Amino acid sequence: MIAVLVEPGSLAVGKQLPLAEEEANHLKVRRANNGATIRLLDGAGTIATGSLTWRGKQASVAIGTVAHVAEPAPLTLAVGAGDRDRFTWVVEKCAELGVTDLVPLATDHATGVATRIRETHIEKLAVRARETLKQSGAAWAPRIHPLQSIEQFSAMARRGLRWLAQPGGALPPATLGDEPITIVIGPEGGWTDQELGHLLSRFEPIALAAPILRFETAALAAASVVGVARLRGARV
C-alpha cells in the first residue's frame, strides 16, 4: 500500500482530505489510480487508510479508517554533529528504529568538519525524518532538536538510563523495559579530554562494539541494541 504524509491533526473518518502537491507527485510517480487504497501518516501517531480520487493534478483521499498508535518508549540519541550527509543517514535510521528524539551535539572536533551539521539544516532533517515514514510505515517520526553544546544537553534533567557509547564500557543489558534511555555518541575525531571528563561524570560508559565506530555506525548500533533489548523485555 502506498503511503503519503499529512499534517498532524488532519485525519478523521469520513473526511475528504486534499493532499499536498509533493504527495500528489509521489502518487503520480507510483502510478496510483482513482480508487487505490492509500495509507496516510501524520508522523505523530495517527495512521489512516482511504480511497484516492484524482481531479486533474489534484489528489485527495476519502478517509475510511483511522488508528492511533502509542508513542514508542523514550529513546534519545545525542550525536556529535559531523558530516551532514552522514548525519542525514542517521536521521533516516532513527526514524526506522524507533528513536523518539535526536539531538545534534556541537563538539570541539566537529567544528573542524567543513560539511558539519549547522542550525540551518535542522528543519530539513526534520522533513527527512517524516519522509522516511513512507518506506518504514512507522507511525511516529523522531523529534530533531536544535544543535546543542554538551553543557546545554547534559544540564537538562534526564530521566531513566543515561549511557555514553565508549569502547571498554560495560555491556548493555540483554533485556530492557520502557524506561527512558539517553545515549550519547561521539563525533568524528572523538571527544576532547575535557568533554569526556564532563560526560563521564553524568553518563555510564556502554560498549556497542569492540572497535571504535564511526558516529553513524554507533548511532545505528545504539538504536538496534535498545530496540532488540526492549523486544526481549516485552516477551519475558
Side-chain angles (χ1 to χ4, degrees):
M1 190 184 302
I2 303 173
V4 296
L5 296 173
V6 298
E7 290 300 315
S10 63
L11 296 172
V13 173
K15 183 177 182 179
Q16 187 77 32
L17 181 66
L19 299 180
E21 182 180 354
E22 64 181 289
E23 301 305 319
N25 289 338
H26 173 65
L27 292 174
K28 189 178 297 183
V29 170
R30 295 291 301 274
R31 299 183 180 179
N33 297 320
N34 276 314
T37 300
I38 302 299
R39 182 181 178 92
L40 303 104
L41 307 167
D42 71 354
T46 305
I47 298 175
T49 60
S51 179
L52 175 64
T53 298
W54 286 102
R55 289 186 175 86
K57 295 181 179 180
Q58 302 297 315
S60 64
V61 177
I63 300 173
T65 67
V66 175
H68 300 280
V69 179
E71 187 171 8
L75 173 56
T76 299
L77 295 189
V79 183
D83 174 76
R84 60 178 174 268
D85 288 339
R86 289 158 59 196
F87 201 93
T88 300
W89 187 87
V90 170
V91 169
E92 294 175 357
K93 301 311 163 190
C94 285
E96 295 173 18
L97 290 168
V99 174
T100 57
D101 295 85
L102 178 61
V103 182
L105 295 177
T107 68
D108 286 349
H109 287 162
T111 59
V113 180
T115 58
R116 69 186 181 278
I117 290 293
R118 293 174 169 82
E119 191 60 39
T120 53
H121 301 137
I122 300 302
E123 185 175 347
K124 289 183 178 179
L125 292 173
V127 170
R128 190 71 196 107
R130 280 173 47 83
E131 289 175 346
T132 302
L133 301 184
K134 293 181 186 179
Q135 181 274 328
S136 70
W140 289 87
R143 290 175 286 269
I144 311 301
H145 290 251
L147 192 66
Q148 297 179 25
S149 69
I150 292 174
E151 291 75 18
Q152 288 173 322
F153 176 76
S154 59
M156 298 175 65
R158 300 283 166 193
R159 298 182 296 117
L161 300 172
R162 293 176 293 176
W163 295 343
L164 171 65
Q166 188 72 5
L171 294 179
T175 60
L176 289 167
D178 289 341
E179 64 267 55
I181 299 174
T182 301
I183 307 176
V184 181
I185 294 167
E188 299 172 54
W191 306 109
T192 64
D193 290 342
Q194 182 177 355
E195 289 171 337
L196 185 58
H198 181 86
L199 290 167
L200 286 173
S201 69
R202 291 163 173 82
F203 295 87
E204 176 188 359
I206 290 291
L208 298 174
I212 295 174
L213 304 177
R214 294 176 67 151
F215 77 83
E216 69 271 28
T217 309
L220 176 60
S224 300
V225 162
V226 171
V228 172
R230 280 178 167 165
L231 281 176
R232 288 198 189 101
R235 294 177 182 179
V236 170

